[in-house]
């Protein structure tokens, strides 16, 4: 009986004898050793990939934003003219918004940046005067002094790095050039993706071996649904949240209401984390005005978050991408460390694509397990079983 189980295990792994497993282990060890020794060969390819990754991601975002409009306009003209018309209207809209809205937003933002240090000092003094009457004032003073020292050391380190000259200047030029390349190449790639979607899909499908085309088509369809639902939903959700906060900030009389609402809308593209980050500047601005304003700001903030989370998010996002808060936090931290700002901004959709691939591989594993071991202690429940039960 033990021999029979061993044979089934070997067959499950794809072999017929125990020598197959031994050979598989040896070949895997050799492959890992060789890859470790020649890892420098992959460095240029990784550099090229990381260079072109931001424009590609930006192109995919534009593609999913414009895709519904192109599909609607395509009913009245050819797809090429539909894509061209959408691009022209988008450029005109950006130009009008930039002329009428962005200038005042930038002006208000510059004022906020200039006055924020003095606001921070004022809030700190008010906070010290409030806690001065508390019994643990000394501990709070030590904590505040430690925070001040940390801020000063950080600013000093940034200043020293800035004064290094060419290295810092090179980093600035590198960042500017990368941003310029993303802003230029991304829309161009998106234009051709929108114009030749069917031709591009057929070309990619021809590369895939015929035996895997059904599975590949299924994975692409799921990925398309996930990305489309997340990107469109998150953009609409962020825009609605920014508008809700803009109206609320104006009603409660918060200074720099437009800049703060814009900041909330932009940062909330990163779920949960963006809203938490944007909360503290708004609290400092409100506390600088008065203690009552800070209390009103906190109440209004959490009321809007509750309304947005319970009314807007379920209708906009649906159930296409259900992620726990801790999962989102870990994904943002890990992807931010791996890919920087791009990882923070697009870590969730990248994770969703990886999740689809892992779920597919696990489903194949379950089917293979059922083929060899289902007679022992039961079957793995697969998606086909769930569909048959429903």
């Amino acid at each position: 009986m033990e021999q029979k189980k061993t044979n089934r295990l070997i067959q499950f792994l794809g072999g017929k004898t125990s020598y197959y497993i031994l050979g598989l282990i040896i070949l895997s060890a050799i492959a890992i050793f060789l890859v470790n020794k020649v890892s420098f060969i992959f460095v240029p390819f990784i550099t090229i990939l990381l260079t072109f990754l931001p424009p590609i991601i930006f192109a995919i975002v534009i593609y999913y934003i414009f895709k519904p409009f192109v599909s609607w306009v395509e009913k009245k003209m050819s797809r090429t003219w539909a894509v061209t018309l959408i691009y022209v209207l988008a450029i005109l809209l950006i130009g009008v918004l930039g002329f009428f809205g962005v200038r005042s937003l930038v002006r208000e933002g510059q004022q906020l940046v200039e006055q924020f240090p003095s606001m921070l000092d004022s809030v700190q003094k008010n906070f010290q005067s409030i806690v001065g009457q508390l019994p643990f004032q000394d501990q709070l003073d030590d904590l505040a002094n430690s925070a001040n020292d940390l801020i000063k050391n950080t600013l000093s380190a940034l200043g020293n790095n800035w004064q290094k000259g060419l290295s810092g200047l090179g980093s600035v030029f590198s960042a500017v050039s990368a941003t310029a390349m993303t802003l230029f190449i991304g829309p161009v790639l998106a234009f051709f993706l929108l114009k030749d979607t069917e031709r591009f899909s057929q070309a990619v499908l021809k590369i895939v071996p015929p035996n895997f085309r059904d599975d590949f088509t299924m994975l692409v369809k799921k990925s398309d649904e996930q990305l489309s639902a997340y990107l469109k939903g998150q953009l609409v959700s962020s825009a609605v949240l920014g508008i809700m906060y803009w109206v609320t900030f104006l009603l409660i009389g918060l200074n720099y209401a437009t800049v703060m609402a814009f900041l909330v809308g932009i940062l909330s593209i990163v779920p949960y984390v963006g809203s938490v980050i944007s909360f503290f500047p708004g609290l400092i601005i409100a506390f600088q005005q008065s203690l009552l304003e800070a209390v009103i700001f906190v109440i209004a903030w959490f009321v809007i978050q509750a309304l947005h989370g319970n009314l807007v998010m379920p209708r906009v996002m649906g159930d296409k991408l259900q992620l726990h808060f801790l999962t989102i936090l870990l994904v943002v931290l890990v992807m931010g460390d791996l890919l920087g700002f791009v990882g923070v901004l697009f870590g969730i959709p990248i994770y969703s694509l990886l999740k689809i691939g892992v779920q597919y591989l696990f489903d194949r594993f379950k089917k293979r397990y059922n083929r060899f071991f289902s007679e022992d202690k039961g079957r793995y429940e697969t998606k086909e079983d769930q569909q048959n039960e429903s």
Side-chain angles (χ1 to χ4, degrees):
M1 186 67 180
E2 186 66 28
Q3 183 65 27
K4 185 178 179 180
K5 290 184 178 180
T6 303
N7 291 338
R8 279 191 294 175
L9 176 62
I10 295 174
Q11 292 174 1
F12 173 78
L13 295 175
K16 295 182 179 180
T17 65
S18 58
Y19 293 107
Y20 172 81
I21 298 180
L22 181 62
L24 193 64
I25 295 174
I26 294 175
L27 289 176
S28 300
I30 293 174
I32 294 173
F33 176 78
L34 292 177
V35 170
N36 184 49
K37 288 297 182 181
V38 297
S39 59
F40 62 91
I41 296 177
F42 303 101
V43 172
F45 298 101
I46 295 176
T47 303
I48 294 173
L49 176 64
L50 293 179
T51 301
F52 284 98
L53 187 62
I56 292 174
I57 293 177
F58 187 42
I60 293 174
V61 173
I62 296 175
Y63 171 81
Y64 280 108
I65 293 175
F66 288 175
K67 183 181 177 181
F69 302 103
V70 172
S71 300
W72 182 75
V73 177
E74 188 184 9
K75 299 176 182 178
K76 301 175 176 58
M77 60 184 71
S78 67
R79 190 170 183 87
T80 301
W81 283 107
V83 176
T84 304
L85 177 61
I86 295 299
Y87 261 68
V88 171
L89 293 177
I91 293 173
L92 291 176
L93 180 62
I94 293 173
V96 171
L97 291 176
F99 182 78
F100 290 102
V102 175
R103 289 191 301 174
S104 60
L105 185 65
V106 170
R107 191 183 309 113
E108 187 174 328
Q110 289 176 343
Q111 294 177 359
L112 176 60
V113 170
E114 292 174 357
Q115 298 182 12
F116 195 76
S118 60
M119 290 183 186
L120 196 58
D121 292 337
S122 176
V123 169
Q124 183 180 0
K125 292 178 181 178
N126 292 334
F127 179 76
Q128 289 177 346
S129 63
I130 291 175
V131 302
Q133 303 174 359
L134 299 178
F136 44 87
Q137 177 186 359
D138 295 336
Q139 290 81 355
L140 291 175
D141 288 339
D142 293 338
L143 182 61
N145 292 331
S146 300
N148 288 333
D149 293 339
L150 179 61
I151 294 174
K152 290 179 181 179
N153 292 333
T154 303
L155 294 176
S156 177
L158 292 175
N160 293 334
N161 290 332
W162 177 259
Q163 293 173 1
K164 287 182 179 178
L166 293 178
S167 60
L169 195 61
S171 300
V172 172
F173 280 126
S174 176
V176 171
S177 62
T179 304
M181 185 177 70
T182 300
L183 294 177
F184 175 75
I185 297 179
V188 174
L189 289 177
F191 179 87
F192 288 103
L193 281 176
L194 288 166
K195 185 175 76 72
D196 301 320
T197 301
E198 190 64 28
R199 186 185 305 176
F200 179 76
S201 301
Q202 293 298 326
V204 173
L205 193 61
K206 290 180 180 179
I207 301 175
V208 180
N211 194 37
F212 301 108
R213 287 179 182 174
D214 291 339
D215 288 347
F216 179 79
T217 302
M218 180 268 296
L219 290 174
V220 171
K221 183 179 179 181
K222 283 188 176 182
S223 301
D224 179 71
E225 292 176 354
Q226 290 273 349
L227 286 175
S228 178
Y230 176 79
L231 292 176
K232 290 187 294 186
Q234 196 63 34
L235 289 174
V236 173
S237 171
S238 300
V240 172
L241 183 63
I243 294 173
M244 292 172 68
Y245 272 120
W246 183 54
V247 174
T248 303
F249 291 162
L250 290 176
L251 290 176
I252 67 175
L254 183 70
N255 294 335
Y256 307 103
T258 303
V259 173
M260 283 305 306
F262 179 79
L263 182 65
V264 172
I266 293 297
L267 292 180
S268 61
I269 294 177
V270 182
Y272 299 112
V273 179
S275 297
V276 172
I277 294 175
S278 57
F279 169 77
F280 292 102
L283 180 62
I284 291 174
I285 294 173
F287 200 88
Q288 191 269 339
Q289 293 180 236
S290 67
L291 180 60
L292 178 61
E293 183 70 19
V295 174
I296 296 175
F297 170 82
V298 172
I299 295 174
W301 180 276
F302 287 104
V303 168
I304 295 298
Q305 285 289 333
L307 292 175
H308 181 263
N310 292 287
L311 298 179
V312 178
M313 289 291 289
R315 289 165 175 77
V316 173
M317 298 296 292
D319 57 354
K320 294 292 184 182
L321 192 65
Q322 294 181 343
L323 295 177
H324 194 271
F325 168 74
L326 291 179
T327 303
I328 292 176
L329 182 61
L330 290 175
V331 168
V332 170
L333 291 176
V334 173
M335 298 301 295
D337 185 62
L338 293 175
L339 300 176
F341 178 73
V342 175
V344 172
L345 199 58
F346 300 108
I348 302 301
I350 293 174
Y351 166 80
S352 67
L353 296 181
L354 294 176
K355 182 180 178 181
I356 291 173
V358 172
Q359 288 177 339
Y360 167 77
L361 294 176
F362 186 55
D363 192 59
R364 295 298 297 265
F365 167 80
K366 290 191 289 186
K367 291 179 180 179
R368 190 168 181 85
Y369 177 90
N370 291 337
R371 177 183 171 187
F372 291 98
F373 298 103
S374 60
E375 298 178 358
D376 292 341
K377 294 185 179 180
R379 290 171 50 85
Y380 249 127
E381 185 179 8
T382 61
K383 292 183 178 179
E384 286 78 3
D385 296 333
Q386 296 175 355
Q387 292 175 357
N388 293 332
E389 291 178 358
S390 62

